[in-house]
Amino acid sequence: MIRRLAFILALIGSSLFTLAQQYTISGTITEAGSRELLPGVSIYEADLKIGTTTNKYGFYSLTLPAGEYRIIYSFIGYKVDTLMINLNADTTYNASLGDAPNAIGEVKVVAARKVEESKKVQMSSIDIPIQQIKDIPTFLGEKDVLKTIQLMPGVQSGSEGQSGIYVRGGGPDQNLIILDDAVVYNASHLFGFFSLFNGDALKSVELIKGGFPARYGGRLSSVIDMSMKEGNREKYTGELGIGIISSRGVFEGPIPGLKGKGSFVIAARRTYIDILAQPLIFAASGGETFGYFFHDFNAKLNYDLSEKDRLYLSGYFGKDKFYYRYSFDDLTEKGNLGWGNYTTTLRWNRLMNKKMFSNTSFVLSKFDLGINAETETDDDVFELNFGSSIRDLTLKYDLDYFHSPQHSIKTGAVVTYHQFNPNAVVIKGTDFPTIEGDNITNAFESGIYIEDTYKPIDVWKINGGLRISHFYQGEVNYINPEPRLSMAYLLTNSFSLKASYAMMNQYIHLLSNTGLGLPTDLWVPTTNRVKPQRSQQVAIGVAKDIAKGNFSITLEAYYKTMNNILGYKEGSSFLAPEFDGNGVSFGDWQDKVTAGEGESYGAELFIQKKYGAFSGWIGYTLSWTTLQYDDLNNGKPFYAKYDRRHDISLVGIYKISDRVKISGVWVYGTGNAISLATTTSKGVAYQEYFGSNILDYRSVYNYGEKNSHRMRAYHRLDLGLQLSKTTAKGNERTFEFSVYNAYSRSNPFFYMAIVDDPDDNWQTDNSERNLYQISLFPILPSISWSLKFN
């Protein structure tokens, strides 16, 4: 009875609060020294316990009754500013954290206050500090955003060294990877061993695994939302880095002649193993040449058109290429495999009034894959060219409406034009008819959404939303509602109970034979034969903050269903040609796939300390993921390849002094599910080769049920040491030493069955078929050097 009465009184108080004469304080929050806009800053009225946060462009708006207030501005990793103000009119206050006092009121620095996890309505979400990404020891010293995300609970890696991501039972195609509003389709370099994203160019990284806000759509399992730096508006700064396999550089500063109204940032990276190794390869092989390299380039410009309008132009351009050339007598063979991602984003921010902020984005995004092979002799020339691509043209509009401390509303719309070309092929030769073909498909995808973060009373916060998604291709037209709901209830001042529900639809699919996330995987659209993927996910959990938010503990349980998941039929591949009376073709990909269902459930524990001399986290995941296809495994459910019962990650970073920092990572994971042949029998069949029937003796391998075996467990220890020194000119030099797989664990990459025959005759009665584990990386030390200059 008392709790009901308190609830009614709180609602009455909230209503009276909204009826009083109100004024709005609004503005932008920047970083002192660079004027870089800061998203996620907490703005909090200390006595009323009412607040808001800046949006992704650093804008905030807080409406209060007329009166005197103590407003606190705080952001993780920064000291807190406190503003004393008599609010009797709408006021603009552009704060610079740690900057000099502002004329509106007295600003004083108090003890740092952290954003508390228990106060957030969003669950299944992790903000990853860029500095932690840079401090964690990594493979060959290459700082990698996606490999850091793999260390989070609920996220699993594919195989040894791979940057593929599997979130709560979903496949790598079910992750919405966004860089400055642009969707990135293939997020890896070096066949998956490194991610595309240069940490030097990034400002923020957020991972969302469930309870998705309505503003996100188009994927089933996760959102990885990254924003690039905008550039220092005060001075020119930069950083250079040299590692074992690549070098990198970033340079930023104000745009000359604009008087502080604009800035830029550029970042570049390239491997150079091909350049260093080429002379040795050529000499050792007697003329054979092969190599590999990747490079990427990030750039961003921003300019203040007026006090209310700002323009951004950003882009990413990256390419990988493997090539070879071989000559012997009159025979010459050469070829290459190349792929690349390219994105361009033009954005217009507009402050419409004290409470409304809009952003309009025009985005170009594309992924291209090309395979070329040529064979040449004195009498003949044969050439094969294969290509695959996806191109997007997107227009997006978002509106933030800070109605009151109780209501923060977001709404918007997006439309994307897709062009798919999953297999374009050209085959030609001297004595071979030229064959050309492609399979271009055009489609439109769109969505509208609205969401409201509602706080009826101090202890209760709700984010409810609805997204309507639409997809049109040829004869099909899908319209699907996608309800979203997240709730948080404060049981104490630092302990909350949370719950969420999300329905998602995905209209594009990734076809993969390997499961490794190789660039040869194909993106294809929903059609009249292939339905869109759909998921529903519910989650419940608790969040606890300790030491004013410096420590946070979250425990969550989830259950997710997935429908219409595509996979290749047994024995099918997009690279398998088909021969008919008209020549060679690669057929229709729709004939090679089958659709099924998936189920994933589990629990996740996350203990994190973001800042201080010691920082890091502990992550643990307990999960089950099963798939079922009518055309696979005789229609019986089976464990997904990436199903792992247990995943553990321990990450620690300790700053001994301003000059010395040490770090370590230990990971453990249950082995992946795999299919292995259990018995072997001999078979005889007639096989047609070039019009002749030839008796073919072969062994038949019986695999039993799909993915019924397990690889060995995976575990690894990485260590890192950073030694820094500041020069007399204020530049900072850093040497970093790291060790990957410090105790040289032989982790499984794949297994191979090899026939061991004591008589040296293949497949005799004395033959034995043994299973061998293939591992990739033993202990790998690395060293890198970097220089920050001002």
Side-chain angles (χ1 to χ4, degrees):
M1 182 66 182
I2 295 176
R3 291 179 65 88
R4 290 181 180 177
L5 180 60
F7 182 80
I8 293 172
L9 290 175
L11 287 178
I12 293 173
S14 175
S15 299
L16 292 175
F17 177 87
T18 59
L19 291 175
Q21 180 65 48
Q22 296 182 340
Y23 298 103
T24 299
I25 180 171
S26 61
T28 56
I29 311 298
T30 59
E31 179 186 48
S34 70
R35 293 169 59 193
E36 183 96 20
L37 294 171
L38 295 177
V41 176
S42 175
I43 297 93
Y44 185 80
E45 207 297 311
D47 298 321
L48 295 177
K49 298 182 179 179
I50 292 173
T52 186
T53 58
T54 56
N55 66 9
K56 65 189 299 184
Y57 302 102
F59 174 76
Y60 77 96
S61 176
L62 182 62
T63 301
L64 300 167
E68 295 185 356
Y69 296 105
R70 182 164 58 100
I71 300 176
I72 296 172
Y73 297 81
S74 66
F75 190 48
I76 297 175
Y78 291 79
K79 292 184 178 180
V80 173
D81 284 353
T82 300
L83 170 67
M84 307 301 297
I85 183 172
N86 182 12
L87 188 63
N88 53 24
D90 289 342
T91 302
T92 298
Y93 178 55
N94 298 320
S96 182
L97 292 188
D99 205 356
N102 188 280
I104 292 179
E106 178 188 0
V107 179
K108 59 181 179 180
V109 178
V110 297
R113 172 198 170 107
K114 307 300 181 184
V115 177
E116 297 182 9
E117 196 66 36
S118 60
K119 303 295 196 301
K120 299 178 182 178
V121 65
Q122 178 69 53
M123 66 182 302
S124 308
S125 173
I126 301 174
D127 294 310
I128 306 172
I130 297 298
Q131 190 57 49
Q132 282 192 347
I133 295 174
K134 293 182 177 182
D135 290 339
I136 294 173
T138 53
F139 179 65
L140 293 177
E142 292 293 312
K143 303 306 179 184
D144 196 315
V145 173
L146 296 188
K147 280 191 169 57
T148 302
I149 290 176
Q150 288 176 352
L151 300 173
M152 300 299 169
V155 182
Q156 296 163 343
S157 60
S159 302
E160 169 77 71
Q162 299 287 307
S163 60
I165 287 181
Y166 302 82
V167 180
R168 291 186 172 178
D173 64 316
Q174 296 176 2
N175 305 308
L176 180 62
I177 302 177
I178 304 171
L179 179 64
D180 275 359
D181 279 346
V183 174
V184 178
Y185 283 96
N186 185 287
S188 63
H189 284 306
L190 192 57
F191 305 101
F193 289 101
F194 302 107
S195 75
L196 299 181
F197 308 108
N198 186 343
D200 294 332
L202 296 179
K203 178 172 70 173
S204 64
V205 178
E206 181 182 16
L207 167 69
I208 305 175
K209 302 174 291 181
F212 305 100
R215 59 187 178 273
Y216 294 113
R219 299 293 188 275
L220 300 190
S221 294
S222 79
V223 176
I224 301 173
D225 195 350
M226 293 170 286
S227 296
M228 289 174 55
K229 289 180 179 178
E230 293 152 8
N232 194 316
R233 290 195 171 204
E234 300 288 338
K235 58 183 179 179
Y236 296 104
T237 65
E239 182 175 356
L240 298 174
I242 300 175
I244 290 180
I245 67 167
S246 72
S247 290
R248 56 186 172 80
V250 60
F251 184 62
E252 59 182 303
I255 299 176
L258 296 185
K259 299 180 180 180
K261 291 186 176 181
S263 62
F264 71 91
V265 60
I266 55 175
R269 180 174 54 160
R270 193 197 191 279
T271 55
Y272 38 66
I273 290 181
D274 59 321
I275 299 174
L276 298 178
Q278 196 56 241
L280 299 177
I281 295 173
F282 188 83
S285 63
E288 184 175 350
T289 301
F290 62 89
Y292 167 84
F293 69 87
F294 73 76
H295 62 76
D296 50 46
F297 178 77
N298 297 77
K300 189 171 186 177
L301 302 171
N302 72 90
Y303 173 63
D304 294 342
L305 297 173
S306 68
E307 291 184 357
K308 295 185 177 182
D309 299 274
R310 175 173 291 185
L311 206 61
Y312 297 88
L313 178 63
S314 61
Y316 168 86
F317 311 93
K319 186 174 181 62
D320 292 64
K321 186 174 182 179
F322 171 80
Y323 58 91
Y324 71 92
R325 182 184 179 89
Y326 170 77
S327 297
F328 181 77
D329 291 337
D330 66 337
L331 173 66
T332 300
E333 294 182 349
K334 59 182 179 180
N336 62 75
L337 167 64
W339 67 95
N341 287 271
Y342 314 94
T343 70
T344 302
T345 303
L346 177 64
R347 290 185 291 182
W348 172 35
N349 287 176
R350 177 162 178 78
L351 177 59
M352 304 179 72
N353 55 47
K354 298 292 183 181
K355 294 185 177 184
M356 299 179 70
F357 182 96
S358 69
N359 177 73
T360 304
S361 298
F362 180 73
V363 184
L364 298 172
S365 178
K366 68 175 181 176
F367 169 71
D368 288 319
L369 162 71
I371 302 174
N372 169 263
E374 297 181 31
T375 301
E376 182 178 351
T377 65
D378 291 340
D379 302 320
D380 189 25
V381 175
F382 177 82
E383 182 178 355
L384 167 67
N385 289 286
F386 180 89
S388 177
S389 66
I390 178 171
R391 289 170 168 80
D392 287 354
L393 181 63
T394 300
L395 181 63
K396 185 171 179 281
Y397 179 79
D398 300 285
L399 178 68
D400 291 352
Y401 177 38
F402 297 84
H403 175 270
S404 66
Q406 289 76 35
H407 289 277
S408 180
I409 300 170
K410 295 178 182 291
T411 186
V414 59
V415 59
T416 299
Y417 167 73
H418 297 291
Q419 184 183 82
F420 301 87
N421 192 1
N423 48 7
V425 62
V426 176
I427 304 175
K428 57 185 178 181
T430 304
D431 299 320
F432 194 88
T434 298
I435 299 173
E436 297 185 55
D438 55 29
N439 189 16
I440 295 177
T441 302
N442 300 316
F444 285 92
E445 182 177 356
S446 61
I448 57 173
Y449 73 89
I450 185 169
E451 62 179 85
D452 181 17
T453 300
Y454 174 50
K455 188 178 181 181
I457 57 176
D458 289 342
V459 297
W460 189 259
K461 187 178 285 188
I462 302 169
N463 178 277
L466 176 66
R467 185 182 185 92
I468 305 295
S469 63
H470 169 250
F471 187 83
Y472 171 78
Q473 189 276 315
E475 300 176 355
V476 298
N477 196 37
Y478 292 96
I479 300 177
N480 289 305
E482 301 175 7
R484 317 286 175 82
L485 180 65
S486 296
M487 300 178 291
Y489 184 78
L490 273 172
L491 300 173
T492 69
N493 191 46
S494 60
F495 183 65
S496 64
L497 176 66
K498 299 186 179 184
S500 68
Y501 167 81
M503 176 185 288
M504 309 287 282
N505 287 278
Q506 180 170 332
Y507 299 100
I508 63 175
H509 313 262
L510 184 67
L511 302 181
S512 173
N513 282 107
T514 64
L516 297 179
L518 295 179
T520 52
D521 298 341
L522 302 182
W523 289 98
V524 295
T526 291
T527 67
N528 57 348
R529 295 173 57 186
V530 177
K531 295 181 179 180
Q533 302 179 58
R534 173 174 293 178
S535 73
Q536 296 188 74
Q537 181 181 165
V538 294
I540 59 172
V542 294
K544 171 66 177 176
D545 291 295
I546 304 172
K548 296 183 179 180
N550 202 19
F551 274 100
S552 65
I553 302 174
T554 61
L555 177 63
E556 297 182 5
Y558 71 91
Y559 176 78
K560 181 167 70 172
T561 61
M562 298 168 284
N563 304 104
N564 303 320
I565 304 171
L566 282 196
Y568 275 116
K569 295 178 181 178
E570 296 287 4
S572 295
S573 169
F574 79 95
L575 285 176
E578 298 177 357
F579 296 86
D580 55 30
N582 298 320
V584 182
S585 70
F586 285 86
D588 188 345
W589 61 268
Q590 296 178 89
D591 297 327
K592 304 178 182 182
V593 300
T594 182
E597 299 178 349
E599 180 183 60
S600 183
Y601 55 93
E604 301 163 3
L605 174 67
F606 189 47
I607 304 173
Q608 185 181 32
K609 186 175 185 292
K610 287 188 177 181
Y611 290 96
F614 176 81
S615 63
W617 65 83
I618 299 172
Y620 171 69
T621 305
L622 172 68
S623 64
W624 289 261
T625 301
T626 57
L627 303 174
Q628 188 274 323
Y629 295 85
D630 291 341
D631 295 328
L632 299 178
N633 200 43
N634 295 317
K636 298 179 181 178
F638 57 92
Y639 287 116
K641 177 181 178 180
Y642 39 86
D643 168 75
R644 290 195 193 140
R645 200 65 60 244
H646 306 281
D647 255 313
I648 302 172
S649 61
L650 307 177
V651 179
I653 303 165
Y654 182 55
K655 187 176 182 180
I656 299 174
S657 67
D658 290 338
R659 299 183 59 181
V660 181
K661 188 182 294 183
I662 59 175
S663 58
V665 174
W666 185 76
V667 295
Y668 172 88
T670 304
N672 286 347
I674 57 172
S675 299
L676 294 174
T678 55
T679 60
T680 306
S681 59
K682 292 184 178 181
V684 179
Y686 282 96
Q687 184 71 30
E688 182 177 347
Y689 291 99
F690 302 101
S692 300
N693 288 329
I694 300 176
L695 194 62
D696 185 17
Y697 295 89
R698 61 179 62 187
S699 292
V700 178
Y701 301 119
N702 304 309
Y703 282 85
E705 293 194 359
K706 189 175 181 66
N707 290 350
S708 57
H709 296 78
R710 291 277 173 180
M711 291 184 171
R712 294 175 62 200
Y714 181 99
H715 53 87
R716 188 189 78 242
L717 174 67
D718 303 334
L719 299 173
L721 170 65
Q722 293 182 8
L723 302 176
S724 302
K725 181 180 180 180
T726 302
T727 67
K729 295 182 178 181
N731 300 327
E732 182 180 340
R733 293 197 301 255
T734 301
F735 281 96
E736 181 171 357
F737 306 88
S738 63
V739 179
Y740 180 87
N741 196 8
Y743 51 78
S744 200
R745 160 78 171 178
S746 294
N747 287 304
F749 184 63
F750 66 91
Y751 290 93
M752 178 181 294
I754 299 178
V755 174
D756 295 326
D757 186 2
D759 300 328
D760 292 328
N761 294 315
W762 184 73
Q763 294 285 13
T764 66
D765 292 337
N766 295 325
S767 300
E768 292 185 357
R769 188 169 177 266
N770 296 316
L771 190 67
Y772 292 88
Q773 174 184 299
I774 307 300
S775 301
L776 288 184
F777 304 115
I779 181 172
L780 288 176
S782 64
I783 182 173
S784 63
W785 172 86
S786 65
L787 172 67
K788 292 181 180 179
F789 55 89
N790 299 308

